[in-house]
Amino acid sequence: MERPAEFSLRPATDRPTVALTGDWTARMLGGAGAGLAETLDGLNNFIVDLTHVRRMDTAGAYAIVRAAGREFDLAKVEARPETLRLLEVVADAVKVEPEKRRDRAADRLTVRVGKGVVAFGKEFLDTMGFLGHLLVVLALSVVWLFTQPRRIRWPALVSTMERAGLDAIPVVAVTTFFIGAVVAFIGASMLRQFGAEVFAVELIGISMMREFNIVITAVLLAGRSASAFAAEIGSMKMNQEIDAMRVMGVDPFEALVLPRFVALVLTIPLLTFIATLSGLLGGIIVVWSTLDLGPAFVLQRIVDAVGPTHFWLALIKAPFMAGIIAGIGCRQGMEVGGDVESLGRRVTAAVVHAIFAIIVIDAAFALIYMELDV
């Protein structure tokens, strides 16, 4: 017959004794554990007598250990060997506290740096794999151009050239027009202090023909075409259309990446030329209105003092920037997962990475031109 868990305190002058009786099990424990904790609260140097306890399980042992708190000591417990063993196991388990996570700034910084390095390494390897596949397809496309021209997807190429090139002419022209006007206005205002207003023409010509035409065009294409490429290919990836293409034996690089890559490389020289004309037009209008220098004089001075060399130096950079923009956009699209959140992240990454690559490429060419003294 089961008996409820009970206890009694036998006070003494030297060492008080707490005597437990009954069944200290989960079923018969009741409120004895809480009462024992209240009784032992503030009591020091006491003895726990368990010799009259009939049965005990881990719930009863835990109640005794928790009630004794820091004062619990097996040396102060009188009980049968099996009871002492159970109390020892429970007491050891209670003392094992989970290791507190060190929330120090240095640790968090180290973890973030480590994760960043690993992610960068994985991203680099994936990029090299994408680049290798793209180069193989480009080499094959050159062979197909002379041997199997029908294998090249001409409709997709022409359509992409129209969307990425011709449709971008208005925004490129308007943006570079205002850039040229701003450069001319700032140059005229600053050079007027030194009586060298006429050199504003050289400033406009060099800045627009060498740097701003290609950089502004590439940045606009990065925001317009790289994001579009990533979104288009990413949508197909989400809908498993790319997997279906692979099942049917169609290479996604040949069908999706190659037309976009070639289209952007072919159209960016045209956009750069239009950006140059628009930027020069904006600068000429500002110079004409503020410095009273006629368009004929400005154009003649640009031809004599600036020359076409700066334009050709800018045009050399165009295919490299177009290839980077198209490659980054298509690669990010290929990395899209199965959810919309992944699509959004990849489209954003395509724009950010493309703009960063444009700045790096422009800086690299600036160093090369400086070494070549051109």
Side-chain angles (χ1 to χ4, degrees):
M1 181 179 179
E2 295 180 334
R3 296 180 182 179
E6 297 177 346
F7 68 92
S8 60
L9 178 61
R10 296 198 296 266
T13 56
D14 50 353
R15 300 184 72 178
T17 301
V18 181
L20 280 65
T21 58
D23 296 329
W24 283 74
T25 60
R27 183 174 180 179
M28 304 303 295
L29 189 60
L36 180 62
E38 183 178 355
T39 301
L40 297 179
D41 187 21
L43 192 62
N44 299 323
N45 198 21
F46 55 84
I47 297 176
V48 181
D49 184 7
L50 304 179
T51 55
H52 297 288
V53 172
R54 298 176 67 247
R55 287 183 294 179
M56 178 184 293
D57 59 8
T58 54
Y62 176 71
I64 296 171
V65 173
R66 187 179 61 175
R70 296 182 178 179
E71 295 294 329
F72 181 79
D73 187 358
L74 287 176
K76 301 178 182 179
V77 177
E78 298 177 357
R80 297 187 299 271
E82 60 272 18
T83 304
L84 290 174
R85 177 56 183 162
L86 179 60
L87 286 171
E88 182 182 5
V89 173
V90 173
D92 291 341
V94 172
K95 290 179 181 178
V96 177
E97 298 179 356
E99 183 181 356
K100 294 183 179 179
R101 184 178 180 181
R102 294 181 300 177
D103 193 19
R104 295 187 300 180
D107 294 343
R108 295 198 303 271
L109 178 61
T110 303
V111 171
R112 293 188 63 179
V113 170
K115 290 182 178 179
V117 171
V118 173
F120 176 80
K122 184 178 182 300
E123 195 79 8
F124 178 78
L125 294 177
D126 293 342
T127 302
M128 291 298 101
F130 178 89
L131 179 61
H133 198 163
L134 178 60
L135 291 177
V136 170
V137 174
L138 284 174
L140 291 176
S141 66
V142 174
V143 177
W144 297 334
L145 183 62
F146 298 100
T147 59
Q148 305 178 47
R150 293 185 177 181
R151 186 165 181 177
I152 298 177
R153 301 177 183 272
W154 298 106
L157 176 60
V158 174
S159 174
T160 307
M161 290 178 63
E162 180 183 1
R163 290 187 293 108
L166 298 181
D167 292 349
I169 289 178
V171 64
V172 170
V174 172
T175 304
T176 52
F177 175 85
F178 286 107
I179 293 293
V182 170
V183 171
F185 181 78
I186 295 175
S189 301
M190 296 298 296
L191 294 174
R192 182 179 294 158
Q193 303 176 13
F194 308 99
E197 299 95 331
V198 70
F199 289 103
V201 177
E202 282 84 347
L203 177 63
I204 298 168
I206 295 175
S207 62
M208 292 307 305
M209 296 177 66
R210 186 181 181 116
E211 286 295 331
F212 286 123
N213 54 356
I214 181 59
V215 171
I216 297 302
T217 301
V219 169
L220 291 175
L221 287 180
R224 190 177 183 275
S225 299
S227 59
F229 293 169
E232 292 167 359
I233 298 178
S235 307
M236 299 179 67
K237 185 76 178 298
M238 288 176 55
N239 296 330
Q240 298 182 342
E241 296 179 35
I242 293 180
D243 296 335
M245 294 173 63
R246 290 193 175 99
V247 171
M248 292 187 296
V250 178
D251 186 4
F253 277 76
E254 178 184 339
L256 302 176
V257 178
L258 181 62
R260 288 168 171 81
F261 184 90
V262 175
L264 214 60
V265 171
L266 293 179
T267 55
I268 196 171
L270 172 64
L271 295 176
T272 304
F273 177 72
I274 294 174
T276 305
L277 296 181
S278 181
L280 292 177
L281 178 62
I284 290 172
I285 292 176
V286 171
V287 170
W288 191 9
S289 61
T290 58
L291 302 180
D292 198 22
L293 299 177
F297 172 79
V298 173
L299 291 176
Q300 186 62 42
R301 190 170 181 86
I302 289 177
V303 172
D304 296 337
V306 179
T309 303
H310 296 286
F311 174 74
W312 294 115
L313 292 177
L315 208 60
I316 292 174
K317 297 184 285 186
F320 295 93
M321 292 189 177
I324 288 294
I325 294 169
I328 290 177
C330 295
R331 184 198 176 285
Q332 294 296 333
M334 287 291 188
E335 295 297 322
V336 171
D339 55 344
V340 179
E341 182 181 0
S342 175
L343 177 63
R345 287 199 311 269
R346 291 298 177 175
V347 171
T348 304
V351 178
V352 174
H353 293 178
I355 294 177
F356 176 78
I358 289 167
I359 302 301
V360 172
I361 291 174
D362 189 63
F365 271 98
L367 293 176
I368 294 173
Y369 291 160
M370 183 178 65
E371 292 295 329
L372 296 176
D373 195 20
V374 292

